[in-house]
Amino acid sequence: MTAQTTDLPADLAAVALAAFDQVVVATPGFRVRTGQHEMAQRIASSLHDVTLGDQPEPHSAVTVIQAGTGVGKSAAYLSTTVALALARKTRVVVSTATVALQEQLMTKDLPVLAAVLDTPFVFALAKGRGRYVCKLKLERLVGTGGAEATELFDADDDAAAAAQPAAAQPRRGVVWQDPIERRVALYDSLAAALAAGRWDGDRDSLAEQPEPSDWSTVAAERHTCTARHCPRFSSCSYYQARMQLAQAQVIVANHDLVLASLGMKALPDLDNCLLVFDEGHHLPAVALDQFSSAMDLSGLRWLDKLPKILIDVADKMGFVLVQDVTTLAQQLKTALLEANRMAMDLLRGVSAGYDVVHRFKDGVVPEALLEPFKLIHDHAVALSDALEALGAELKSRAKEDPAQATHCSVQYARLGQMAPKLNSAVATSAQWLNSDEPPLAKWFKSDTSSGLVFLSAHACPIVPGDLLRRHLWQHVRGAVVTSASLTTCGSFDYFLSETGLADLPQVSTLAVDSPFDYRTQGQLIVADTAADPKQVDLYTTQMVAALLADLRAVQHGALVLFTSRVQMQAAVGALDANLQDTVLVQGQMARGRLLGIHQARVESGFASVIFGLQSFGEGLDLPGLLCETVFIAKLPFSPPSDPVEEARAEWLKRDGRDPFSELVVPATGIKLLQWTGRAIRSETDQARVICYDKRLLSTSYGRRMLQGLPPYAVSRRVLGALSAL
């Protein structure tokens, strides 16, 4: 026992399990779930003796638990981890991947637990700083149309210009306004709502969400915040939320925020709390996103503003800038323009179109192209140093002389609006100059979706496990990682490798079966098409024909999952008049409204079918008649053109490994497990899955994926005839 565990109950594992039993007893209509008890027992036994705090030889534990649909995993992990945390006077951070699960935890699961446990506790939702309004920025803009407001409005005018064709089309029922007039009206209404106490400064609590470009101007971003030196600190919406978090024993966050907050004190220290990563299969993708970078090579007007703002702020503060920021900004702009020119020449050589992605083989960039990136890095770092020095001076003066706090905070915000683009230039150029192994994926992207040609440079690591092991797991003392889909092809190996948990001595795994009887409740039918799925056009034609025939037999609710928008549109275009009245298509309306219409139709006795893409293959809960059949148009392989996946496959091949078997098949197996999981959602459901991709049965890799699916009764359908397997 460490010093931190003295005066604690002799058997903390028993305390945790007793809390689980309390929840079980208090749950109306509870059904005994062996798997749920196994999960609670594993968490209690794994985490009860982890060492928290700064200790010389700490004991750590990470338990990885796959809990099939219907296990009730949130009750299992919340009751045990919260009981352990309360007994040890520490905290629990529960991280999710979706807003839907956060809402479930905050509005259902945690209130139930709080009502049951003997020891009271407080729970709170953690959000990123940018979800809250900066009152100081808002005050500058209310009722103004002057130079200061224009400066803030124009902070990201390149992006605004790119978005103008879309922005010029008003939403239905909304009268078009001049962008400046619209923003001034918005900010006046926000300020009035704050003053009247009708709004707490949280963007998510607004009845109507502002346009992203409008909100970003008044968002409480880190780069524009002087924190406790700001004159509005005591009433700051973000820091008031932070104070609530400080009082909470249980904090609900998301994976992005947890990884983005590493080392920043926005959440409890990882070595002094318990962590739960629900929907843990998303961790690798989130890690890659967090440690990637990109910089714009087209919109460079911000570089004309940067030196003017730096010089103006320095003059107002009587501060002497060491660097010649005007020359540096011009040099940086010249280097970026040169990179733009060389990139456009390169892209024109590989494609006649304007929407192009060009990745560099093995992450090796031609030396001639690296020259402007070296200059970009040097000039951007020098400008960043100047900005940071001036920012540090502003903070120092605000601290030393409260009378200057407002003035310093306003000037700091002016600097901060330049920081993101400058930081992107520093980070992206540094990654482009990186030649470590494994190599980074590096690519140019040309995009015309905004109506203008926008060119950008990107870089991203290719091994998420390395990132998570280095930045996350080496700091964590006690954690639960759970999901309904952590194994693939019948093994944890892929997930453990992708998350950096493979071969770590503190890691244990457990697979808990669903309480559902898939053999009697469900059926998996693999419908053959004559065309091979690799014959894309012919396969799509045959698949759509078979799908439409099946849709005509739908009596209640059904879900069709497509692997691409083109494929989905082909099915939509083939619908006859009767089916058009039955089908709801993802993207035609807001997700919540679409699901509401679907439920209303089914409950009224009508057939209703949802057409959806990848995001509808996970987290969608349609029990009973709402989804009696899940149709899978094709095995959900990732697009082969993803530059990070391409770079990783290339690296593995160079190392003599098989990326298809090692990466593609297990990743697709996890998606397939998620997709098929939309079918049976309760012990009373009767549902079937129809997959039109014969490779699930006819190939060795398909049969590998099949091993990782629930034990459905499997049959093959050839030319309308079913044969059991």
Side-chain angles (χ1 to χ4, degrees):
M1 286 286 199
T2 67
Q4 219 180 356
T5 60
T6 57
D7 302 324
L8 293 177
D11 191 348
L12 280 173
V15 170
L17 278 175
F20 169 72
D21 290 337
Q22 280 183 275
V23 172
V24 166
V25 171
T27 302
F30 175 78
R31 299 178 183 179
V32 176
R33 298 171 181 173
T34 303
Q36 189 182 43
H37 187 270
E38 288 178 14
M39 182 176 181
Q41 196 165 37
R42 170 59 64 87
I43 295 169
S45 62
S46 297
L47 303 189
H48 79 281
D49 62 346
V50 296
T51 310
L52 299 178
D54 186 13
Q55 301 293 330
E57 295 183 4
H59 168 62
S60 303
V62 178
T63 183
V64 178
I65 304 174
Q66 174 169 288
T69 306
V71 165
K73 62 181 183 296
S74 59
Y77 68 65
L78 284 177
S79 58
T80 48
T81 58
V82 172
L84 286 171
L86 293 176
R88 302 190 64 164
K89 295 181 172 54
T90 188
R91 300 198 277 173
V92 179
V93 175
V94 182
S95 180
T96 79
T98 62
V99 173
L101 181 53
Q102 284 189 336
E103 291 176 347
Q104 175 190 315
L105 292 170
M106 291 295 296
T107 63
K108 178 184 174 185
D109 298 335
L110 283 167
V112 167
L113 182 63
V116 169
L117 290 189
D118 297 331
T119 305
F121 67 91
V122 176
F123 55 91
L125 178 63
K127 300 181 183 182
R129 187 189 296 256
R131 307 304 296 179
Y132 298 91
V133 74
C134 171
K135 293 185 176 180
L136 195 65
K137 288 182 184 177
L138 188 61
E139 288 173 9
R140 289 178 61 197
L141 298 174
V142 171
T144 72
E148 284 194 347
T150 301
E151 181 185 290
L152 279 180
F153 291 162
D154 290 345
D156 198 20
D157 57 1
D158 295 313
Q164 190 58 40
Q169 300 298 321
R171 288 170 293 179
R172 185 174 298 176
V174 176
V175 178
W176 186 88
Q177 284 181 291
D178 174 80
I180 297 295
E181 292 179 0
R182 184 189 71 238
R183 288 182 171 190
V184 169
L186 170 67
Y187 303 144
D188 286 348
S189 68
L190 294 182
L194 277 174
R198 299 191 306 272
W199 182 47
D200 59 1
D202 181 345
R203 173 179 174 168
D204 297 324
S205 63
L206 290 170
E208 184 173 344
Q209 291 297 294
E211 297 291 337
S213 58
D214 294 351
W215 176 259
S216 65
T217 305
V218 292
E221 299 292 356
R222 177 171 60 89
H223 301 295
T224 60
C225 179
T226 55
R228 60 177 48 86
H229 307 310
C230 175
R232 301 294 175 268
F233 176 75
S234 61
S235 63
C236 175
S237 301
Y238 170 67
Y239 280 102
Q240 285 181 337
R242 283 279 299 272
M243 288 176 64
Q244 292 178 350
L245 287 184
Q247 307 301 318
Q249 287 84 27
V250 182
I251 297 171
V252 177
N254 60 51
H255 302 340
D256 287 287
L257 182 60
V258 170
L259 295 185
S261 301
L262 294 175
M264 297 180 64
K265 303 295 183 182
L267 295 171
D269 292 336
L270 298 183
D271 64 355
N272 205 23
C273 70
L274 301 180
L275 280 161
V276 178
F277 290 102
D278 200 345
E279 301 175 318
H281 59 285
H282 285 283
L283 274 173
V286 174
L288 289 179
D289 186 60
Q290 283 294 327
F291 291 95
S292 65
S293 65
M295 68 177 174
D296 186 1
L297 297 177
S298 299
L300 303 180
R301 283 179 283 180
W302 65 277
L303 277 169
D304 298 327
K305 301 185 188 75
L306 176 60
K308 296 176 183 177
I309 291 175
L310 285 168
I311 291 169
D312 186 53
V313 172
D315 287 346
K316 288 180 177 178
M317 302 306 298
F319 181 80
V320 178
L321 290 167
V322 176
Q323 298 90 339
D324 180 355
V325 293
T326 302
T327 300
L328 282 172
Q330 185 55 52
Q331 290 173 329
L332 176 56
K333 186 174 183 179
T334 300
L336 286 165
L337 287 171
E338 177 62 9
N340 179 300
R341 182 192 65 77
M342 296 178 74
M344 291 302 295
D345 288 345
L346 179 66
L347 295 181
R348 277 193 287 266
V350 298
S351 174
Y354 287 104
D355 292 294
V356 187
V357 172
H358 177 77
R359 183 185 59 83
F360 293 91
K361 181 177 173 59
D362 295 321
V364 177
V365 179
E367 188 62 34
L369 192 53
L370 280 181
E371 284 304 314
F373 277 82
K374 292 174 183 175
L375 294 174
I376 289 168
H377 187 257
D378 290 345
H379 301 325
V381 167
L383 283 166
S384 181
D385 289 344
L387 189 146
E388 288 181 11
L390 187 50
E393 179 67 17
L394 287 166
K395 280 190 172 182
S396 176
R397 293 196 187 185
K399 179 180 179 181
E400 293 170 1
D401 184 1
Q404 292 192 62
T406 299
H407 179 63
C408 290
S409 295
V410 168
Q411 300 308 314
Y412 191 88
R414 295 179 66 198
L415 295 181
Q417 67 186 1
M418 296 286 105
K421 285 185 178 292
L422 193 55
N423 291 346
S424 293
V426 171
T428 308
S429 58
Q431 287 192 313
W432 270 59
L433 298 173
N434 182 303
S435 57
D436 294 344
E437 282 288 325
L440 277 70
K442 301 168 188 174
W443 68 97
F444 285 128
K445 180 179 181 181
S446 175
D447 178 37
T448 61
S449 60
S450 66
L452 301 174
V453 178
F454 257 62
L455 183 66
S456 51
H458 301 254
C460 182
I462 62 174
V463 184
D466 290 350
L467 299 170
L468 289 166
R469 186 179 290 220
R470 184 164 63 251
H471 296 285
L472 179 65
W473 302 124
Q474 71 172 0
H475 303 293
V476 169
R477 296 291 173 77
V480 179
V481 184
T482 187
S483 169
S485 52
L486 298 182
T487 65
T488 179
C489 308
S491 169
F492 279 104
D493 291 349
Y494 173 74
F495 176 76
L496 294 178
S497 175
E498 288 294 279
T499 51
L501 291 170
D503 303 321
L504 293 182
Q506 70 267 36
V507 176
S508 63
T509 61
L510 174 68
V512 174
D513 291 334
S514 167
F516 305 155
D517 186 350
Y518 285 95
R519 290 191 183 279
T520 59
Q521 289 183 249
Q523 186 180 18
L524 172 60
I525 299 170
V526 180
D528 279 1
T529 56
D532 187 282
K534 293 180 181 178
Q535 300 170 285
V536 178
D537 293 339
L538 183 58
Y539 172 79
T540 298
T541 299
Q542 294 180 3
M543 178 274 295
V544 168
L547 171 65
L548 297 189
D550 287 332
L551 291 183
R552 292 186 184 97
V554 170
Q555 295 183 340
H556 302 289
L559 172 66
V560 186
L561 294 170
F562 297 93
T563 57
S564 72
R565 193 170 298 277
V566 171
Q567 191 184 63
M568 184 168 73
Q569 289 305 320
V572 171
L575 295 174
D576 58 34
N578 289 333
L579 285 177
Q580 284 176 359
D581 292 336
T582 302
V583 173
L584 296 163
V585 182
Q586 180 182 355
Q588 286 184 342
M589 63 189 76
R591 175 179 171 130
R593 181 164 175 255
L594 183 148
L595 296 178
I597 293 173
H598 175 74
Q599 181 172 345
R601 284 180 176 178
V602 174
E603 290 177 349
S604 298
F606 297 103
S608 182
V609 179
I610 296 173
F611 278 12
L613 298 169
Q614 171 64 38
S615 61
F616 273 36
E618 179 179 352
L620 204 61
D621 190 21
L622 298 171
L625 297 181
L626 295 179
C627 186
E628 290 189 312
T629 308
V630 173
F631 300 97
I632 296 176
K634 199 174 186 179
L635 290 178
F637 289 104
S638 294
S641 59
D642 180 86
V644 179
E645 296 300 322
E646 278 186 342
R648 193 171 183 192
E650 186 176 75
W651 173 65
L652 289 175
K653 285 180 182 176
R654 186 156 50 89
D655 202 35
R657 293 153 70 181
D658 179 7
F660 183 76
S661 178
E662 191 171 329
L663 296 180
V664 176
V665 171
T668 306
I670 284 182
K671 286 184 185 176
L672 190 62
L673 178 56
Q674 286 284 348
W675 285 25
T676 59
R678 299 313 99 209
I680 296 177
R681 306 300 299 173
S682 74
E683 287 93 339
T684 58
D685 279 1
Q686 292 287 328
R688 60 181 184 164
V689 176
I690 298 179
C691 175
Y692 297 99
D693 195 330
K694 61 186 177 183
R695 292 175 295 181
L696 187 59
L697 292 178
S698 65
T699 64
S700 58
Y701 62 79
R703 292 190 293 273
R704 274 181 64 195
M705 296 181 203
L706 195 60
Q707 289 176 358
L709 299 182
Y712 294 101
V714 180
S715 58
R716 173 186 277 121
R717 187 177 74 192
V718 183
L719 298 177
L722 274 179
S723 60
L725 298 179

